[in-house]
Each structure stands twice: as C-alpha cells, then as structure tokens.
Amino acid sequence: FRIMVKLRQLIPNYVEPAGENVMEDLVHATKMQYELFDGSCPKSMAERLINDTVATILVFDNMVKQLAMLYMLLEHEPEIQEKMVKELRETEVNSYADLEKLEYTDRCLLECMRMRPSLLRGSRDFKQHLKSEEEVKIGQYVIPKELKVGIKIHTSEYVQQMDPRYWDNPTKYNPDRWINGFNPDKYTYLPFWTGPRSCLGKHLGMMLMKITLYHLHQNFEITQAWDKQTAPIFLQSMATIRLIGDVPCRFQKRVVSS
C-alpha cells in the first residue's frame, strides 16, 4: 500500500514535463471516457485513475521481469553493480529531464535487455511475394512465386541479440559496449521491436525502470539472496521470457549519515 501511495505522489512529476498540459489532457480524456460509460467523474477521481493505471503498468508489466533479470546478471558483476548504485545515489532526480543523467544505469538496462529480452520471439506477415512475379530470397530461404497465400516469418530476438556476427563476446554482460551512443545494426537489437509497429511503451518502460531503480537504491541496501545451488533460470519456450524459480533479494533500510 505504501508503495502505491508513493507512486501516486511521484508519477505526476514525470508525466507533466513530457509536454505542455499533458496531465490536463490526460485528465480531460479520462473524465470524458468515464462519463461516457459510468456517469460523473470529478477531476480528483480522473487523476487517481491515471496514476493507478501507470502504477499497474509499473507493478505488473514485463518491466518487473526485466528488473529481476538485471539483478540476476549483476549478481555475477559486483563492480558493475557498485558503479550503477553509486550513480543512482549520487544523482539528484526530480524530473523527467534528470533521468537523462543516469547514463550508466541506462547502459546497464540496455545490456540487460540484449542478453535477457522480455520478448524472445515474434512474427510478421510476409506479403511482398503477392505483389511480385519473381521468387523472393531471404538469406538461404526461397519463397517461390507460386506461393499465393500469405505466410508468417518467425524471428528470435534472443538469437539475434546473442549472435557473435553482430556482437563482440555476446555472452559477456558489458554495459560499456553502449558507450558514446553506440547504435547497433538495424534488426540486431529488438527488445521493443522496430519500425512502424515498434512498442508504444518503449520510452515509458525505460523511464519507469530508471525511476524504480533510483528510488529503490536511494532508500535501500539491496543484495541478491537466492540459493546459488538452485539459481533461477529463464525459460525460452514461450514468446515472452519466463522465470523458473524466484529471484529473492534482501532489502535493508539505508542509513544516510548527515
């Protein structure tokens, strides 16, 4: 309950800077939608609905699994974790613009999403052959011109993001590969997919992960606490990543000397 209350206090600070009157527009749209189906909706109720919706995304979205994966990776990289935590504690974050200061944390998240993406595989309908009289070749695969019905192409984001043809030492968790605005080749890094059908929540997801990490490490000492003999593993047989086993962490209230 205290977490939800804190989120309601924090969310407007990060929503308003996104543009002029964004919060007012959200409240107005929420009031109109609610009144259309359920009758009256005071402004305070609309604001509560917006904050609770964002809080729900924060608690139940793939972001939770992504942060669990981050702590799993950092458990084997204590120096990287120490550097990330140092940045989170020494940086003052009061607005959306301040999140840009968390450069190393951002790199840690980008590298985590490369090695442990929430979306493991996807598919797209291929229709080019319907407009062409020639066969279409994709790598070593040929789609014959006689094929008149639509087909699906299935891809694996995990395989692409761990392919040594595109990534140096891909099994190594290395946030510094993202230094100086590193931009990987197109379609080799797809945690949010790409193109016109890329994830609409990309920037929201990154923002919420950084906000969560910031407030967690401002207030707590966090240590990974799972049994090293039965460490949690991730399941790759689903479209989205699934954890087998818990990822327990120990939280101790942080004491800051004056």
Side-chain angles (χ1 to χ4, degrees), residues 59-71:
V59 175
F60 297 110
D61 191 61
N62 282 335
M63 183 203 77
V64 177
K65 290 184 291 185
Q66 201 69 73
L67 290 180
M69 294 295 174
L70 175 65
Y71 283 109

Side-chain angles (χ1 to χ4, degrees), residues 168-230:
D168 294 333
N169 197 7
T171 58
K172 172 66 175 176
Y173 180 74
N174 178 23
D176 286 338
R177 74 170 78 242
W178 299 91
I179 204 165
N180 297 327
F182 167 69
N183 189 24
D185 292 339
K186 193 175 183 181
Y187 299 112
T188 62
Y189 184 71
L190 301 167
F192 299 103
W193 199 246
T194 188
R197 291 183 176 84
S198 61
C199 178
L200 294 175
K202 173 182 178 180
H203 298 292
L204 176 63
M206 290 295 292
M207 178 185 76
L208 290 177
M209 283 192 286
K210 286 191 277 189
I211 292 172
T212 302
L213 289 171
Y214 175 76
H215 287 286
L216 284 176
H217 286 284
Q218 283 285 320
N219 294 282
F220 297 98
E221 300 285 351
I222 303 174
T223 54
Q224 293 86 335
W226 55 82
D227 185 349
K228 301 302 186 292
Q229 302 300 319
T230 57

Side-chain angles (χ1 to χ4, degrees), residues 20-33:
E20 293 185 4
N21 304 319
V22 170
M23 196 64 183
E24 291 183 13
D25 292 343
L26 286 171
V27 170
H28 179 67
T30 303
K31 281 172 57 65
M32 289 181 62
Q33 183 180 23

Side-chain angles (χ1 to χ4, degrees), residues 5 7 17 21 29 37-38 40 58 80 88 102 113 130 138 144-145 163-164 179 205 214-216 228 236 240 256:
V5 170
L7 285 172
N21 304 319
F37 294 101
D38 298 285
S40 63
L58 175 61
I80 294 176
L88 289 165
L102 301 175
M113 290 188 292
L130 299 178
I138 303 178
K145 61 182 180 181
D163 193 325
I179 204 165
Y214 175 76
H215 287 286
L216 284 176
K228 301 302 186 292
Q236 302 184 55
T240 57
V256 181

